[in-house]
Amino acid sequence: MTAITTRIEPTTERLEPSLVWVIASKEIHDATRSKWFWLWTVAFAGLAAFMASVALPGSQVTGYGSFGRTAASLVALAQIIVPLMGLTLGAYSIAGQRETGALRFLLSHPVSRSEAFCGTYLGLAISLAATVFGGFGIAGIITVAQGGGANAASFVRIAVLSWLLSISMLGFGMLVSTFTRRSSAALGTAVFLWLGFVFIGDLGVMGTSVATQVPTWGLLVSAVLNPVEAFRLASLSAFSGSLDVLGPAGSFAVDTFGDSLGLLLFVNVVVWAIVPALVAWARFAHGGDV
Amino acid sequence: MRGMTAALLFGVLLGVSASIPASENITRGDLQSIIDAAEPRSVIMLDPGVYVGNVTIDKPLTLSGNEWPVVDGAGTGTVITITAPDVTVEGLIIRSSGISLDREDSGITVRAPRVTLIGNQLEDVLFGIYLLSSEDSVVSDNVIGAKSDVYVASRGDGLRLWESERSLVERNVVRDGRDAVFWFTDDVVIRDNEITGGRYGLHFMYSDRIIVEGNHLVDNSVGAYMMYSVGVEFRNNIFANNSGPSGYGIGFKDMDDYTIEGNRFIANRSGLYLDNSPSSADAYGLVRDNLFAYNQVGALFLPAVTNNLIYGNSFIDNVEQVGVTSTGTFKDNDWSFDGRGNYWSDFAGYDADGDGIGDIVYRVDDLYNTLTDKYPDLQFFQDTPAAKAIALAAEMFPVLRPLPLMEDYFPLIERPELPPVRDLETGSQAPALALVSLLMLVGSAVILQVPIRQNRSRTKKEAMA
C-alpha cells in the first residue's frame, strides 16, 4: 500500500520546457504524417462540412434560429468523433512507442520521463487542435457561404469546448496507455471507454431514471460526472444561452445556478480536460517498465 | 421664474440652432388648464416642452404634438385619462406613470368609445395603453416601452383592451411589457404590430372573431395565448424565439372555429400548442400553409385534441416535429386534405410517379420522442448519441416500435411556397463568423507547419550541444 502511494507522488523530475517542446514538435510532426490523424481530420472536417451544408437557411425569415440546429448537429458530431479521436491517439501514444522500442530509445537520451510525457501530450494536444479547429473552420466557412450566420462568439466557444473535450479524452487515452503493454490492448480499452462515455453511460442513466424515478438533480449530477455530457451541456449553454431546451432537468439547472451556470459548465469541462492527463502523468512519471 | 425664462430662452435658441427635439429643455405650464380652456371638438397643437402632471381629457378634442412634446406623469397615477368619446391623441411622448398595479397606472387610459391614439411614444409607464369599454377605437403606430427596472411579473400590460369591440390595433411596437391583453373584446383587428420581450405577447379571453395578421411576436415567454374564443384568424404572423418554460408560439385552450394560416413558427419551445381545441363537437380547427422550423416541438397537442385539419404546412428540422404530451396520439386529426399533406424535412420517402406526393406514408413513431412525451425528464438527453441509438433500435426491431403518433398519407415532396411576410430584421452575423472560421483554418494550417521549423531548431540545438 505504501509502495503504491509513494509511486504516485508528484514528480520532482526535471521538466525543461525547451526539451518538452522538442519532443512535442516531433510528436506533431509524426502525428500530422500518420494515417490515424488524417483519418480523423478528414472524417471530422468532412462531417462538419456536411452538417453545415445540409442545415437549410430554411425559411424566408432571414435564417432566424437556423444555427441552433446546425450547432446542435455539430455538438452531436463532436460528441461522437472527438472522444474517439482523443482516446485512440492517446491510447496508441505511449503503448505504441513502448511496443516499437521508441520510448526506450527516447528515455536513453538525457530526457526525463516527465519531459517525455509532457512533450507527447503537448504535441498530441496541439495536433488535435489542428483537427478540431480545422473542422469547425470549414463548417463556419460553409455556413457563411450558404448565406447562414451564427453568433461568432458561441461558435468559437463550441470549438474551444470541443478541443477541451479532445484533450480530456487524450488524457484518458494516455492513462490507458500507461497501463497497457501492447498497443492493441490499449486501443481496445480506449474504444470500450468511448462506448461507456458516449452511449452506455447515457443509456444507463436513462434506464435508471425511468425505472427508479431518479430525482431531477440526479440527471445533472450524472452529466457532470461524464466528461462527454459535461461537454454537451457546456456547448448547449454556449449557443442557446440556457438549458431550457433540456426539459425539466435543464430548467432546474437554470433555476438553481442562474447566470453562473454557463461558467460552471465551462469550468467543469476544463477540470475534465486537466485531471485525466495529470493522473496519467503521475502514473507514467513514477515508474513502470518502458 | 427667472430660471424658467432662461430655460425657455435656451430651449428656443436650441430649437432654432438645431433640429433636435427641444422638448426636454422647456418646462411648460399645466396641460390640464389648456385642455380645460379648449372648446369641445377643437384641435390643440401642443408645442414642444415638458408638461408635468396627470391629465384628464373629458371632452371630444384632438391633442396633437408638434416636435414631440412630453407629458410627464412625474411617477404618479395615470398620465393621460380619456373619459370622453371621439378624442384623438397623436405625436406625444408620454412618460413616468405610477407603479401601482392595483390602480392600474398607465400611460393612457381610455374609458370612452371612438378614441384614436396615433404615433405616440410611451416610456417608463406601468401599463401602456389601456382601453376600457372603448369600442371602435384605433391604436396605431405607437411605441410602448415599460418600466424595465420592475420585475416582469410586477409590470403592467403594454396594451390592454377590455370590452372594446371593433377596435383596430395596428403597427404598434410594444417592448418588455407583461402581456398584451384582449378580454371580452370581439371583432378586433391586430395587424403588423411588433411585440417583444414580454411575458404573453398576445393574451386573449372571450374575444370572438379576432383577426391577428402580420405581427411579429419575438422573444416573449409565450407568443400568443388564447382561451374561450370563437372564430379567430391568425394569418402571416412571425412567432420566433418564444422560449419560456411554456414557450408556445401560439397556444389555444378551449377555442373553436379557428384558422391558423401562413404563420412562421421559428425556434420556439413549441410552435403550436393545442389544449382541447376545438372544444365543441361540431367546431373546426384549420392549420394550413404555416412554417414550423427549428422549434423544440413543431406542434404539441394535449391528449384527446381532435378535429383539426392540418395540411400544406412545412415542418423543418424541429427537434420533435410533432408531439403529444404524456401518452396520447393524434387520432382524429387530419393531416391531409384533398390528397395534399404536409412537408416534412425528415421524410425519408420517394416520389416515383412524380406527382409531388411521397409514395410512402410519413409516420411519427420515434421511440425516444415517445419516451420523452411520457417522461419529460428524458428530454435531458436530447440529441445525444444514446437518444439516437434508442430511435434507431426501434427502427430496426419493430417489436420496440411504439404506436405511430400520426400518419400523413400524402406527404409533400417539395416545400410549399408561403405567402410573403414582413421579414424580421436580424443583423448579419456572417462577417464575424467568416473571420473566426478563417482564423481557425489558419491556426490549423500553422500547426501542420510546426515540425519543419522545429526540426531545424532542434538540429541547431543538438549541434550546439
Side-chain angles (χ1 to χ4, degrees):
Chain A
M1 192 65 212
T2 357
I4 293 169
T5 13
T6 46
R7 275 174 60 179
I8 305 191
E9 264 176 8
T11 177
T12 48
E13 272 190 311
R14 185 170 55 108
L15 195 60
E16 169 67 40
S18 64
L19 255 175
V20 170
W21 180 241
V22 168
I23 297 170
S25 64
K26 174 203 151 280
E27 201 62 47
I28 297 171
H29 184 265
D30 290 354
T32 53
R33 275 151 195 76
S34 82
K35 285 196 302 276
W36 278 105
F37 177 82
W38 284 105
L39 178 72
W40 289 135
T41 306
V42 170
F44 184 67
L47 284 167
F50 174 74
M51 298 274 175
S53 63
V54 295
L56 311 164
S59 59
Q60 290 90 327
V61 186
T62 358
Y64 198 99
S66 68
F67 184 68
R69 297 306 299 150
T70 313
S73 324
L74 279 175
V75 169
L77 170 73
Q79 214 183 326
I80 295 178
I81 292 201
V82 166
L84 199 50
M85 219 154 64
L87 279 166
T88 49
L89 284 180
Y92 191 72
S93 62
I94 296 172
Q97 287 180 17
R98 195 183 274 147
E99 212 168 51
T100 58
L103 185 61
R104 193 182 292 257
F105 177 71
L106 178 63
L107 291 180
S108 69
H109 289 83
V111 169
S112 74
R113 277 167 172 256
S114 286
E115 283 161 351
F117 181 90
C118 293
T120 308
Y121 180 77
L122 187 65
L124 288 176
I126 292 174
S127 310
L128 283 168
T131 306
V132 170
F133 291 115
F136 272 93
I138 289 170
I141 296 287
I142 288 178
T143 305
V144 172
Q146 284 201 317
N151 184 327
S154 323
F155 190 77
V156 171
R157 239 175 293 167
I158 297 175
V160 169
L161 283 165
S162 300
W163 178 66
L164 287 174
L165 176 65
S166 78
I167 63 172
S168 165
M169 291 297 134
L170 177 67
F172 275 107
M174 291 183 78
L175 183 59
V176 168
S177 206
T178 60
F179 277 100
T180 41
R181 193 148 292 283
R182 299 169 53 83
S183 63
S184 55
L187 283 176
T189 314
V191 170
F192 186 76
L193 265 184
W194 174 78
L195 262 180
F197 285 138
V198 175
F199 288 99
I200 299 170
D202 282 358
L203 286 175
V205 176
M206 263 191 238
T208 318
S209 140
V210 168
T212 65
Q213 302 189 328
V214 171
T216 302
W217 56 264
L219 291 179
L220 271 187
V221 172
S222 82
V224 168
L225 295 178
N226 178 344
V228 175
E229 280 290 280
F231 158 76
R232 180 173 72 96
L233 294 190
S235 306
L236 268 182
S237 98
F239 75 78
S240 72
S242 152
L243 294 182
D244 275 346
V245 293
L246 295 180
S251 302
F252 171 80
V254 174
D255 288 347
T256 311
F257 299 107
D259 290 340
S260 53
L261 179 63
L263 183 67
L264 287 174
L265 291 169
F266 186 80
V267 169
N268 187 26
V269 174
V270 172
V271 168
W272 272 122
I274 295 170
V275 169
L278 284 181
V279 176
W281 177 12
R283 157 114 197 125
F284 180 76
H286 286 274
D289 293 338
V290 292
Chain B
M1 191 62 213
R2 186 195 272 171
M4 196 166 141
T5 322
L8 258 174
L9 187 65
F10 182 63
V12 168
L13 282 175
L14 207 68
V16 172
S17 62
S19 61
I20 57 165
S23 280
E24 289 295 329
N25 304 305
I26 311 169
T27 309
R28 295 283 186 181
D30 186 8
L31 179 55
Q32 187 66 56
S33 54
I34 298 175
I35 291 166
D36 290 345
E39 290 294 315
R41 312 212 175 271
S42 61
V43 177
I44 302 174
M45 288 298 293
L46 214 51
D47 290 326
V50 179
Y51 301 81
V52 179
N54 302 343
V55 179
T56 302
I57 303 177
D58 54 1
K59 57 190 135 192
L61 51 76
T62 296
L63 186 58
S64 180
N66 171 32
E67 302 257 329
W68 298 110
V70 178
V71 182
D72 190 320
T76 51
T78 289
V79 184
I80 297 182
T81 308
I82 299 173
T83 56
D86 301 304
V87 169
T88 298
V89 174
E90 60 187 8
L92 303 185
I93 293 176
I94 296 158
R95 71 180 182 201
S96 298
S97 73
I99 55 162
S100 164
L101 278 175
D102 293 343
R103 287 196 313 264
E104 296 172 329
D105 291 342
S106 319
I108 304 178
T109 296
V110 182
R111 298 170 189 279
R114 299 185 303 280
V115 165
T116 307
L117 308 172
I118 297 183
N120 301 288
Q121 292 189 31
L122 290 85
E123 300 161 359
D124 190 30
V125 289
L126 191 66
F127 285 73
I129 293 176
Y130 189 172
L131 267 55
L132 259 159
S133 307
S134 311
E135 305 84 25
D136 304 295
S137 292
V138 176
V139 178
S140 77
D141 302 284
N142 300 289
V143 178
I144 303 171
K147 286 201 179 284
S148 46
D149 51 342
V150 179
Y151 182 66
V152 67
S154 308
R155 291 179 199 164
D157 302 324
L159 260 174
R160 176 182 275 198
L161 273 71
W162 183 282
E163 291 181 346
S164 299
E165 289 86 357
R166 299 175 302 281
S167 291
L168 172 67
V169 177
E170 201 173 33
R171 293 187 303 273
N172 299 287
V173 177
V174 183
R175 291 193 198 100
D176 304 326
R178 187 175 58 183
D179 308 339
V181 173
F182 299 79
W183 280 17
F184 308 107
T185 294
D186 297 343
D187 302 297
V188 167
V189 176
I190 299 159
R191 189 184 288 143
D192 296 338
N193 301 284
E194 232 160 80
I195 304 183
T196 58
R199 192 176 62 175
Y200 285 59
L202 295 170
H203 192 193
F204 301 79
M205 278 206 216
Y206 307 105
S207 297
D208 297 345
R209 298 174 303 281
I210 285 194
I211 294 174
V212 181
E213 204 170 37
N215 301 285
H216 290 174
L217 292 143
V218 180
D219 294 328
N220 304 290
S221 291
V222 178
Y225 203 80
M226 308 201 63
M227 300 156 96
Y228 321 119
S229 306
V230 180
V232 166
E233 297 179 18
F234 275 78
R235 293 183 203 283
N236 305 343
N237 302 286
I238 297 178
F239 299 89
N241 216 25
N242 298 297
S243 53
S246 302
Y248 314 126
I250 294 181
F252 277 4
K253 177 175 167 52
D254 295 315
M255 301 280 292
D256 284 323
D257 297 339
Y258 47 83
T259 303
I260 298 174
E261 196 173 47
N263 301 287
R264 274 69 163 168
F265 300 91
I266 320 262
N268 304 288
R269 194 167 171 80
S270 40
L272 175 64
Y273 172 83
L274 294 183
D275 172 2
N276 195 31
S277 300
S279 64
S280 329
D282 55 346
Y284 68 87
L286 181 58
V287 181
R288 67 176 170 199
D289 304 332
N290 301 286
L291 172 76
F292 297 87
Y294 317 120
N295 301 287
Q296 200 64 25
V297 188
L300 181 66
F301 287 19
L302 283 188
V305 167
T306 57
N307 288 336
N308 286 285
L309 175 57
I310 305 149
Y311 71 96
N313 303 288
S314 305
F315 290 86
I316 296 170
D317 282 351
N318 301 288
V319 174
E320 193 179 347
Q321 300 276 41
V322 293
V324 177
T325 59
S326 78
T327 51
T329 70
F330 287 103
K331 208 158 75 69
D332 298 324
N333 292 285
D334 287 323
W335 293 88
S336 56
F337 176 71
D338 202 14
R340 253 183 105 232
N342 300 276
Y343 173 83
W344 307 92
S345 60
D346 57 338
F347 177 56
Y350 50 86
D351 179 24
D353 53 5
D355 61 353
I357 305 294
D359 295 346
I360 58 174
V361 174
Y362 174 82
R363 185 176 281 125
V364 174
D365 56 0
D366 181 306
L367 179 58
Y368 172 71
N369 285 340
T370 311
L371 280 173
T372 57
D373 288 343
K374 204 166 170 184
Y375 306 102
D377 265 359
L378 293 190
Q379 287 171 31
F380 191 66
F381 297 96
Q382 206 87 73
D383 288 322
T384 58
K388 304 262 191 268
I390 288 180
L392 188 67
E395 288 279 303
M396 294 173 70
F397 306 108
V399 66
L400 295 175
R401 195 178 289 172
L403 282 176
L405 275 186
M406 56 77 62
E407 289 173 322
D408 182 344
Y409 297 101
F410 305 97
L412 303 176
I413 293 295
E414 291 287 326
R415 217 171 88 204
E417 283 287 318
L418 297 180
V421 291
R422 280 185 310 138
D423 248 354
L424 284 176
E425 286 161 27
T426 48
S428 174
Q429 298 169 315
L433 180 61
L435 183 69
V436 298
S437 304
L438 274 177
L439 282 177
M440 286 183 194
L441 282 177
V442 170
S444 300
V446 168
I447 291 171
L448 296 182
Q449 295 304 318
V450 161
I452 297 166
R453 237 185 298 140
Q454 273 323 114
N455 276 354
R456 213 177 290 139
S457 75
R458 188 189 180 194
T459 343
K460 219 180 278 171
K461 195 172 227 139
E462 278 170 356
M464 277 159 68

